[in-house]
Amino acid sequence: MFINMFGYAQELPDNRKIIGNKKEVKTENITIKADSIINPEGIIKKEQDSTQTDSIKPKKELLAGIVKYTATDYTSFNKKQQKLYLYNNAEIDYDGMNIKAGSITIDLSKDLVYAKGITDSIEGYTQAPVFSKDGNVVEPDSILFNTKTEKALIYRSITEQGEGTVIANVTKRVNDSVYFIKDAKYTTAQDLDDPEYYIKLRKAKIVPKKKIVTGLANLFIYDVPTPIGVPFGFFPQSEKQTSGIIIPSFGEQNDRGYFLQNFGYYFAISDYFDLAVYGDYYTNGSYGFRAENSYAVRYKFRGNLSFRYENLITSERGFPDYSRSTIYNLRWSHSQDSKASPNSRFSASVNLGSSTYYRNSLNQINTGNFLSNTLSSSVSYSKTFQGEPQVNFSLTATHSQNTNTQQINMTLPTFQGSVGRIYPLAPKSGSKKGIIQNINLQYSVRGENRIQTTDSLFFKKEMFDDARAGFQHNIPLSTNFKLLKYFSVSASTNYNEVWTFNTINKFYDPDEGKTITEDLKGFDSYRTYNFSTSLGTTIYGMFDFGEDKKIQAIRHVMRPSVSYNINPAFDKYYENVEVVTADGQTVGELEDEFSRFEGGLFGVPGKTFSSSIGISVANNLEAKVRDRDTTATEPKKITLLNNLNFSTSYNVAGDSLQWSPVRMSGGTQLFNNKMSVNFGASLDPYALDNNNNRIDKFNIDNGGSLFRLTSANLTMSYSLSNKGKKDKDGGQEASNRPEDVLPKNLDFSNQEINASKEEDDEDEKPSELYNYKIPWNLRLAYAVNYSNSRRQNEISSHSLMFSGDVELSPKWSVGVSSGYDLKNQGFTNTQFRFERDLLSWRMNFAWNPFGSRAYWNFFIGIKSSLLKDLKYEKRRQPDRSL
């Protein structure tokens, strides 16, 4: 007999020599090197060359590599059947293949490995096989594997393929790259024992990490077949980006007919760069084009770029209401990783295009921006030079566009540079003390090329004709010190120099009999300076009511300050318009003075001497109250007023109306920070005449009160719910952002809009217990403005907006967003919405009952981005009005 590769004795037929190749086989307890021969006499002999002693070539052994196997209960070998049995937590490692199962049987005579689970009377079927080969993992009920051909039959397997899972009754493994399956289910559901939906694949071929190709397939919902099916299908499974067609959505509009939206192609150009091209088409001839690109380099930068264009046709050619227009929009976002370059940074946020784009766009992805009335952009680069002093500079291009007035303001570019603060008289070591040692100066420069144009001239030559450019240099010199221990004093003087390339000239035209203003190109400059000082202190007041009171104490912090500013008159930069006759003789001057720097970027030098005193008082109120928690050792601090500020000024050099109106502003948080309240008012000490103009007479001397209320405003926002994150005091975190009250985006098929919400839902684990409280939230916003500057005594604006959601169950929610204009007596943009979470699916319905954007939208579709085109969406627009 001889010791076979598994360490068991085996009879040798006749006196034939069994020659083993030089391989090492490892078992749990035995390691055998098959490089020796055991003859019938039991004498071990070394063999030099097997081909010289035996003309019959030895049969290739079952396993040609290192084998590792373990089992908890036992390993047994049947000599007669040539089978090795492993039982309970059995595992085999061989040539990149790993099998774990409750029971594994190796048939040496047929080159087969059979793995299955263990049936237990209590736990049922356990320790089902887990087969892994070259990174592919299969979890079947049982598996039959041929070690010679490496083919396998897999019964009741569950494999992850990309975002989905394939559940197959029978799988035939041909090799590492090809699997054939029969009667399989493809789903993205989480509950694989009872998936709420699946696509039944009667016959299919799987190429792991590449694709699934199937024959006849149709959709099943909870094992109920539906008529939704295809004669053949293709499911890409690549782990890398792959180019492919983007399936469109379709529908109908009353004024443009049937349409296809968002039909396109995705180009996976590289791991760092991609491109998606979309197109829209309407049967009346309207069409749209959209290109979107994303790029990213790890640890350096990332961004996205998109361009959208639409050609809109209304009515039919020949009808009086026929019109044709084009709109476009360009968006670019770029951000730099903070680790890429600590001393320099480049960023971009661009949103520009037609002023009517969001208002007139037909594509549903723009629905959420329909109320936007401002487009803005900014592209900037900044760099810092470290040292003493520190030097900074930046280049910025900005754009601001009002979509109502179609007015566009741009700076191409803005240059800013600065030199850090310098203390020329400070000691080289130790702290800086005193008025002399604290003297410091800085330097800054700002250069602009500003363009003001309209939507119709955008990107045309005419937009540059009225461009204005210039530089402003600023050198502030300041110091600060303590006075009488409790007062802080600061003093500063500022030198300002302006360079401009645009000036004007005014002259009298005797033919037309009026003054003409002409623009001049060329370099010019002016210089100004001023002086200011301020004195301030902080006063603390405490009102103690006793520890036995509910309100134990109120703390009042008051910060009064007095400032003085003086600005000299630079009347040398002003002149009068000369009156010249037709024969060229000067006959006089007009009384109105002008400065050639009028209309410049940085204003004009002041021509009048000004000397003013500013007075301001800032207040803050806090209270200590007895905590409701009887175990608390310290009282609870609450804020009564975050701020309450008063400010005014007195013009010493003025000859009339020397006091400016008193401006009051304040704000606070109420109800455990759930309500935010801000208010403000302007109080004028001067009276009005019969024409409602301010006169140099105090209002109290004119038979009125001390101050006259000229304007006031109040804004409040309130957020409450019975579900949400807790703050440190145990209350709800308030969400008082204005955009939370506005209607939501109605384009439910847009995956980008729903991505963040789905990520939030993944973090929430539903409770197995029934919650008798129905979660809900409500957000309110209230605003009122009052005007009385000229005795109009009117509410200029008055509105209330609200938005709320109710979760009828963990998977059902309804909501509404609306508002009411209390001044004009009408509802604002209103939206009713309904949402149902169908586990792997989602269903949404939204309805705008009235207004220019009135319509409803119904959507049901799969959440997974792989099957996002398996959906149904229906939109309904209002009837055409004549």
Side-chain angles (χ1 to χ4, degrees):
M1 62 175 58
F2 75 100
I3 305 297
N4 69 6
M5 62 183 298
F6 292 103
Y8 295 96
Q10 182 176 351
E11 294 290 342
L12 289 172
D14 303 325
N15 290 328
R16 287 182 57 192
K17 299 176 182 178
I18 304 299
I19 308 298
N21 53 9
K22 293 186 179 182
K23 298 293 180 181
E24 185 178 81
V25 179
K26 293 184 179 180
T27 68
E28 186 177 15
N29 301 314
I30 303 172
T31 301
I32 302 295
K33 289 187 178 180
D35 60 352
S36 58
I37 303 169
I38 304 178
N39 61 18
E41 289 76 20
I43 301 173
I44 300 177
K45 297 181 179 181
K46 300 291 287 185
E47 185 68 21
Q48 300 297 327
D49 189 350
S50 61
T51 60
Q52 297 176 1
T53 59
D54 198 334
S55 60
I56 302 176
K57 292 184 179 181
K59 184 180 179 181
K60 185 179 179 181
E61 294 189 17
L62 167 64
L63 301 175
I66 298 177
V67 179
K68 297 180 181 179
Y69 66 89
T70 61
T72 301
D73 285 3
Y74 65 82
T75 60
S76 174
F77 181 73
N78 188 310
K79 293 192 300 179
K80 185 176 182 180
Q81 298 179 356
Q82 295 290 295
K83 292 182 179 179
L84 174 66
Y85 300 95
L86 309 176
Y87 189 78
N88 195 9
N89 293 322
E91 182 178 356
I92 286 182
D93 262 320
Y94 169 69
D95 195 23
M97 175 197 70
N98 178 272
I99 300 178
K100 297 178 182 179
S103 174
I104 299 177
T105 302
I106 303 176
D107 191 335
L108 301 177
S109 62
K110 297 181 180 179
D111 299 334
L112 296 177
V113 176
Y114 179 64
K116 64 178 181 178
I118 297 176
T119 303
D120 188 276
S121 59
I122 299 176
E123 298 182 2
Y125 191 73
T126 61
Q127 297 188 38
V130 178
F131 174 83
S132 59
K133 176 73 172 168
D134 298 329
N136 296 320
V137 179
V138 182
E139 299 181 12
D141 282 357
S142 59
I143 184 172
L144 184 63
F145 180 75
N146 189 305
T147 59
K148 189 174 183 179
T149 62
E150 294 193 351
K151 295 181 180 180
L153 285 177
I154 303 168
Y155 300 92
R156 182 63 184 175
S157 64
I158 300 176
T159 58
E160 290 187 3
Q161 297 294 332
E163 296 183 24
T165 303
V166 176
I167 306 172
N169 289 331
V170 180
T171 303
K172 181 180 179 181
R173 180 186 183 274
V174 178
N175 50 49
D176 290 342
S177 59
V178 177
Y179 290 79
F180 291 97
I181 57 177
K182 183 179 180 181
D183 295 331
K185 302 175 182 178
Y186 182 79
T187 182
T188 59
Q190 296 182 355
D191 185 3
L192 300 179
D193 294 331
D194 185 22
E196 65 267 23
Y197 90 98
Y198 58 85
I199 300 173
K200 187 171 184 178
L201 313 177
R202 286 157 179 82
K203 289 183 179 180
K205 176 182 177 181
I206 299 179
V207 180
K209 300 180 181 179
K210 289 187 178 180
K211 60 186 176 182
I212 297 178
V213 182
T214 176
L216 178 63
N218 66 304
L219 179 67
F220 279 65
I221 298 178
Y222 279 113
D223 294 326
V224 177
T226 67
I228 302 174
V230 291
F232 58 89
F234 178 85
F235 300 89
Q237 302 295 321
S238 176
E239 294 183 351
K240 297 182 178 180
Q241 297 184 100
T242 306
S243 301
I245 295 174
I246 300 173
I247 305 299
S249 59
F250 58 90
E252 179 187 6
Q253 286 190 352
N254 293 330
D255 53 350
R256 290 181 174 86
Y258 295 97
F259 66 80
L260 287 176
Q261 284 189 356
N262 302 319
F263 176 74
Y265 196 86
Y266 176 79
F267 298 91
I269 299 174
S270 71
D271 292 338
Y272 310 103
F273 186 89
D274 69 357
L275 176 65
V277 180
Y278 302 85
D280 307 332
Y281 181 75
Y282 302 80
T283 53
N284 80 324
S286 300
Y287 62 88
F289 167 81
R290 181 160 54 100
E292 296 185 352
N293 154 252
S294 297
Y295 57 90
V297 177
R298 184 176 295 180
Y299 306 127
K300 289 187 177 180
F301 56 82
R302 65 175 54 250
N304 54 74
L305 176 67
S306 70
F307 177 76
R308 303 172 182 180
Y309 173 86
E310 293 184 33
N311 181 72
L312 308 180
I313 298 176
T314 303
S315 187
E316 298 290 340
R317 189 181 298 274
F319 283 83
D321 59 341
Y322 173 82
S323 65
R324 184 170 183 171
S325 62
T326 59
I327 55 176
Y328 67 93
N329 179 255
L330 175 66
R331 304 192 72 167
W332 178 32
S333 175
H334 179 95
S335 61
Q336 178 181 309
D337 195 296
S338 58
K339 306 181 187 67
S341 180
N343 295 325
S344 63
R345 187 165 188 84
F346 176 79
S347 64
S349 176
V350 176
N351 184 9
L352 57 86
S354 303
S355 296
T356 60
Y357 178 78
Y358 288 118
R359 195 174 302 122
N360 296 340
S361 174
L362 304 180
N363 200 301
Q364 295 300 313
I365 65 171
N366 298 315
T367 301
N369 298 317
F370 139 77
L371 293 175
S372 300
N373 56 13
T374 302
L375 303 180
S376 60
S377 307
S378 175
V379 180
S380 64
Y381 173 78
S382 61
K383 187 172 181 61
T384 300
F385 297 92
Q386 301 293 342
E388 289 294 337
Q390 182 174 283
V391 178
N392 305 282
F393 84 88
S394 66
L395 281 172
T396 306
T398 63
H399 152 266
S400 177
Q401 183 173 350
N402 189 308
T403 60
N404 293 326
T405 63
Q406 299 189 3
Q407 188 75 26
I408 299 175
N409 294 306
M410 304 179 70
T411 59
L412 296 174
T414 297
F415 170 81
Q416 295 186 87
S418 65
V419 178
R421 196 180 301 272
I422 302 173
Y423 291 85
L425 303 179
K428 294 183 178 180
S429 61
S431 60
K432 299 180 285 294
K433 294 182 179 180
I435 185 173
I436 301 299
Q437 294 183 0
N438 278 325
I439 293 177
N440 62 87
L441 60 89
Q442 295 174 276
Y443 169 75
S444 64
V445 58
R446 178 185 179 92
E448 280 191 18
N449 178 37
R450 189 178 300 172
I451 299 172
Q452 189 174 37
T453 184
T454 60
D455 198 35
S456 59
L457 300 178
F458 198 43
F459 284 143
K460 294 183 180 179
K461 178 181 178 298
E462 292 81 359
M463 71 176 283
F464 299 97
D465 293 342
D466 295 328
R468 297 187 175 275
F471 286 87
Q472 182 181 47
H473 305 266
N474 191 269
I475 302 178
L477 179 69
S478 62
T479 185
N480 60 82
F481 57 94
K482 286 286 186 179
L483 181 66
L484 301 178
K485 191 177 179 179
Y486 299 106
F487 294 93
S488 297
V489 181
S490 64
S492 64
T493 183
N494 187 71
Y495 173 79
N496 185 64
E497 182 170 333
V498 172
W499 299 347
T500 183
F501 301 95
N502 304 94
T503 54
I504 65 169
N505 181 42
K506 291 184 178 183
F507 62 92
Y508 182 79
D509 189 337
D511 296 332
E512 297 187 10
K514 63 179 182 180
T515 303
I516 304 298
T517 301
E518 62 177 349
D519 293 325
L520 302 178
K521 301 289 186 180
F523 177 80
D524 206 341
S525 64
Y526 68 85
R527 297 153 193 84
T528 62
Y529 51 87
N530 58 41
F531 173 79
S532 64
T533 184
S534 65
L535 172 68
T537 188
T538 303
I539 302 172
Y540 298 91
M542 181 71 74
F543 303 92
D544 198 344
F545 302 108
E547 296 184 359
D548 57 334
K549 304 292 185 180
K550 183 177 181 179
I551 301 178
Q552 298 179 2
I554 293 179
R555 182 192 186 202
H556 179 203
V557 180
M558 184 169 56
R559 295 181 175 87
S561 66
V562 178
S563 61
Y564 175 71
N565 296 273
I566 182 171
N567 291 279
F570 299 96
D571 48 6
K572 65 179 180 179
Y573 297 112
Y574 288 82
E575 55 189 298
N576 297 96
V577 177
E578 294 183 348
V579 178
V580 183
T581 61
D583 56 1
Q585 295 183 357
T586 302
V587 296
E589 294 181 345
L590 298 179
E591 295 183 358
D592 294 335
E593 291 183 321
F594 78 96
S595 172
R596 63 182 184 276
F597 300 103
E598 289 179 8
L601 292 180
F602 306 105
V604 295
K607 70 174 181 178
T608 58
F609 173 78
S610 67
S611 175
S612 63
I613 299 174
I615 304 172
S616 66
V617 179
N619 297 272
N620 174 267
L621 287 174
E622 294 179 337
K624 288 184 178 181
V625 299
R626 189 170 60 244
D627 202 316
R628 294 181 179 179
D629 186 0
T630 58
T631 62
T633 58
E634 295 291 335
K636 185 178 180 180
K637 293 182 181 179
I638 61 173
T639 301
L640 301 179
L641 279 174
N642 286 339
N643 58 83
L644 180 61
N645 305 324
F646 298 89
S647 62
T648 186
S649 63
Y650 180 78
N651 188 359
V652 178
D655 55 357
S656 63
L657 301 173
Q658 294 173 294
W659 285 101
S660 64
V662 177
R663 178 60 188 169
M664 182 268 291
S665 63
T668 187
Q669 300 282 337
L670 302 175
F671 306 117
N672 231 0
N673 295 331
K674 289 187 177 69
M675 175 179 282
S676 175
V677 180
N678 293 281
F679 52 88
S682 291
L683 306 171
D684 195 341
Y686 292 103
L688 298 178
D689 59 14
N690 293 332
N691 295 322
N692 296 324
N693 296 319
R694 295 179 72 199
I695 58 176
D696 191 22
K697 186 176 183 180
F698 290 117
N699 194 55
I700 193 172
D701 296 333
N702 199 40
S705 58
L706 179 61
F707 292 102
R708 182 172 51 85
L709 180 64
T710 58
S711 66
N713 63 82
L714 172 67
T715 60
M716 293 189 298
S717 56
Y718 186 60
S719 176
L720 69 160
S721 68
N722 64 345
K723 177 185 177 182
K725 298 179 181 179
K726 302 289 184 179
D727 60 17
K728 63 182 180 179
D729 296 326
Q732 299 286 344
E733 279 190 359
S735 178
N736 294 323
R737 300 177 302 174
E739 56 267 27
D740 289 338
V741 189
L742 298 177
K744 305 296 187 295
N745 196 304
L746 296 181
D747 186 24
F748 302 119
S749 61
N750 190 349
Q751 294 292 322
E752 296 178 1
I753 295 174
N754 297 280
S756 59
K757 184 181 184 304
E758 291 173 7
E759 291 176 0
D760 296 339
D761 294 342
E762 291 177 359
D763 297 335
E764 297 181 5
K765 296 182 179 180
S767 173
E768 297 180 357
L769 301 177
Y770 174 71
N771 184 3
Y772 68 94
K773 291 184 179 180
I774 297 179
W776 56 268
N777 62 77
L778 178 65
R779 299 171 294 277
L780 300 170
Y782 173 78
V784 58
N785 289 278
Y786 170 78
S787 298
N788 190 36
S789 58
R790 297 177 63 85
R791 288 200 184 101
Q792 61 266 44
N793 190 26
E794 65 173 3
I795 301 294
S796 55
S797 64
H798 194 193
S799 60
L800 172 67
M801 299 186 70
F802 58 89
S803 178
D805 296 278
V806 178
E807 288 188 21
L808 302 178
S809 75
K811 302 297 182 181
W812 294 77
S813 66
V814 295
V816 61
S817 298
S818 184
Y820 190 78
D821 191 330
L822 298 171
K823 179 182 178 182
N824 298 317
Q825 301 295 311
F827 282 95
T828 61
N829 192 24
T830 300
Q831 179 191 100
F832 296 94
R833 52 185 176 269
F834 163 83
E835 182 175 352
R836 167 64 168 156
D837 187 349
L838 300 171
L839 299 181
S840 301
W841 298 62
R842 58 185 175 86
M843 180 171 64
N844 302 83
F845 176 79
W847 177 38
N848 280 24
F850 49 79
S852 60
R853 305 287 288 193
Y855 69 98
W856 57 261
N857 187 6
F858 173 79
F859 173 87
I860 183 170
I862 295 179
K863 294 179 181 179
S864 171
S865 60
L866 181 66
L867 300 176
K868 65 181 180 179
D869 296 312
L870 189 57
K871 64 184 180 181
Y872 174 78
E873 186 171 12
K874 179 67 175 176
R875 302 185 182 99
R876 180 68 176 176
Q877 291 189 325
D879 295 333
R880 182 182 300 178
S881 58
L882 300 178

